[in-house]
């Protein structure tokens, strides 16, 4: 368990709070494990009928911790070992049976967006800004988002988000069907909690069957595997090395010298 993910259960809702605000809630391996375990365990906890994901600080999450990515690129032991066996949060999202609700405050980057595509209800505040800049980091889509994002918003918009890093603001997120509604910043958590509690009060079998009928967990897991192979290769690539070094050195990356595949 890590102090970077807080857990609390009340009124049938398990609330998971990302709690690493000094690093913009960038997700570490321990945080993925804690989130994945909590979502998996929710299925067997009779007190939990809905999971709510929210975040402390001024943004939802800056996505995967880039220093963990850089460690994999450099072939460093623990992070490298830890990536074998896949990402526990993504695996849990693919097979989740418990309804998931998200309250997105401010920015969400990378996996902070792709996880929303597995949530059943999404609330964003006025400052929400969604980006999936995988290609800017020389990476590729994950969490089955190469399937879920184009099917949700269309190919052209998804390509622009993935490859050009197009930022989607709160209104657009609702218009494009990524989020249910925009809530004022001060009301975001209460709005999302009310929705989660409303879900938790519904007949549980009917809710579970409805969610199951709307999803294809086998197809999602297959897509995650396919993406994961490319993602792992790209993580170790020279172009990713340049992207991670640029982030650490707070400069723009220069891909003009890396070879074409
Ligand atoms: N991984 C690791 N550390 C991160 C991080 C990430 N994804 N995102 C932010 N941080 C750290 C910064 O390095 C900084 O640490 P420091 O105080 O020790 O220097 C701290 O969090 C604050 O970030 P900062 O960049 O100063 O905040 P900002 O408000 O100016 O910008 C972002 C916020 C999200 C725009 C910017 O941090 C960013 O672009 N992060 C990377 C996002 C990304 O590409 N994620 C991977 C997607 S696949």
């Amino acid at each position: 368990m890590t102090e970077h993910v807080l857990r609390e259960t009340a009124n049938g809702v398990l609330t998971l709070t990302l709690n690493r605000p000094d690093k913009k809630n960038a997700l570490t391996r321990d945080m993925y494990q804690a989130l994945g375990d909590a979502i998996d365990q929710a299925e067997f906890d009779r007190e939990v009928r809905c999971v709510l994901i929210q975040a402390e600080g001024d943004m939802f999450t800056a996505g995967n911790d880039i220093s963990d990515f850089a460690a994999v690129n450099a072939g460093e032991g623990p992070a490298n070992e830890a990536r074998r066996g896949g990402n526990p949060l993504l695996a849990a999202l693919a097979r989740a049976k418990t309804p998931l609700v998200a309250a997105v405050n401010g920015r969400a980057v990378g996996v902070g967006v792709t996880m929303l595509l597995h949530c059943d209800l999404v609330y964003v505040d006025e400052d929400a800004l969604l980006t999936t800049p995988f290609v800017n980091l020389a990476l590729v889509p994950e969490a089955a988002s190469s399937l879920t994002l184009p099917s949700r918003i269309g190919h052209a918009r998804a390509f622009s988000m993935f490859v050009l890093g197009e930022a989607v603001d709160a209104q657009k997120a609702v218009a494009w069907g990524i989020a249910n509604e925009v809530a004022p910043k001060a009301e975001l958590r209460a709005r999302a909690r009310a929705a989660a509690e409303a879900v938790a009060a519904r007949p549980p079998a009917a809710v579970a069957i409805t969610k199951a009928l709307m999803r294809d967990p086998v197809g999602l897991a297959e897509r995650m595997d396919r993406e994961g192979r490319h993602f792992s290769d790209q993580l170790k690539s020279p172009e990713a090395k340049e992207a991670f070094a640029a982030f650490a050195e707070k400069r723009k990356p220069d891909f003009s010298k890396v070879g074409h595949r």
Side-chain angles (χ1 to χ4, degrees):
M1 205 61 211
T2 164
E3 77 279 11
H4 293 145
V5 176
L6 309 177
R7 296 170 66 139
E8 191 202 7
T9 302
N11 302 329
V13 178
L14 167 64
T15 303
L16 301 174
T17 305
L18 307 180
N19 183 37
R20 199 187 174 209
D22 55 322
K23 294 289 182 187
K24 307 293 178 186
N25 295 318
L27 294 166
T28 61
R29 176 76 195 184
D30 284 349
M31 292 167 77
Y32 283 128
Q33 191 73 54
L35 291 164
D37 287 350
I39 291 168
D40 278 339
Q41 288 159 11
E43 197 189 325
F44 304 103
D45 186 339
R46 293 183 67 83
E47 277 182 40
V48 175
R49 292 187 172 188
C50 188
V51 175
L52 169 63
I53 303 172
Q54 61 184 22
E56 286 297 335
D58 64 0
M59 72 177 68
F60 186 62
T61 170
N64 201 103
D65 190 296
I66 293 179
S67 49
D68 279 1
F69 277 165
V72 177
N73 183 275
E76 283 163 17
N80 208 13
E81 286 303 310
R83 271 203 88 76
R84 290 204 185 112
N87 178 318
L89 172 60
L90 304 194
L93 289 173
R95 61 182 168 239
K97 294 192 174 133
T98 312
L100 306 173
V101 178
V104 181
N105 55 315
R107 279 177 179 267
V109 186
V111 68
V113 176
T114 59
M115 75 165 82
L116 303 179
L117 304 168
H118 295 272
C119 291
D120 303 291
L121 295 168
V122 176
Y123 298 88
V124 293
D125 74 11
E126 307 111 315
D127 297 337
L129 198 64
L130 313 184
T131 50
T132 50
F134 297 113
V135 170
N136 287 345
L137 285 170
L139 298 173
V140 297
E142 39 72 313
S145 60
S146 61
L147 188 69
T148 54
L149 192 62
S151 78
R152 187 78 66 89
I153 69 174
H155 178 98
R157 289 165 174 168
F159 192 87
S160 176
M161 287 187 75
F162 285 141
V163 176
L164 300 181
E166 180 180 350
V168 172
D169 66 17
Q171 273 75 27
K172 236 185 218 181
V174 172
W176 289 5
I178 298 174
N180 291 79
E181 66 182 58
V182 185
K185 190 166 269 305
E187 290 165 30
L188 174 73
R189 281 195 177 187
R191 182 71 196 89
R193 173 162 303 281
E197 290 184 0
V199 171
R202 296 289 191 275
V207 172
I209 295 166
T210 300
K211 172 158 176 150
L213 287 168
M214 290 171 72
R215 289 164 32 93
D216 171 18
V218 175
L220 291 170
E222 275 170 8
R223 179 59 66 113
M224 285 185 193
D225 279 354
R226 236 175 99 194
E227 292 171 344
R229 284 195 290 278
H230 293 292
F231 199 97
S232 294
D233 288 346
Q234 280 301 114
L235 259 183
K236 294 174 213 135
S237 66
E239 54 191 42
K241 183 177 184 185
E242 165 59 11
F244 304 150
F247 179 74
E249 292 159 20
K250 300 191 189 288
R251 62 171 172 80
K252 272 195 179 311
D254 174 7
F255 298 117
S256 65
K257 290 182 190 59
V258 293
H260 193 271
R261 68 196 180 90

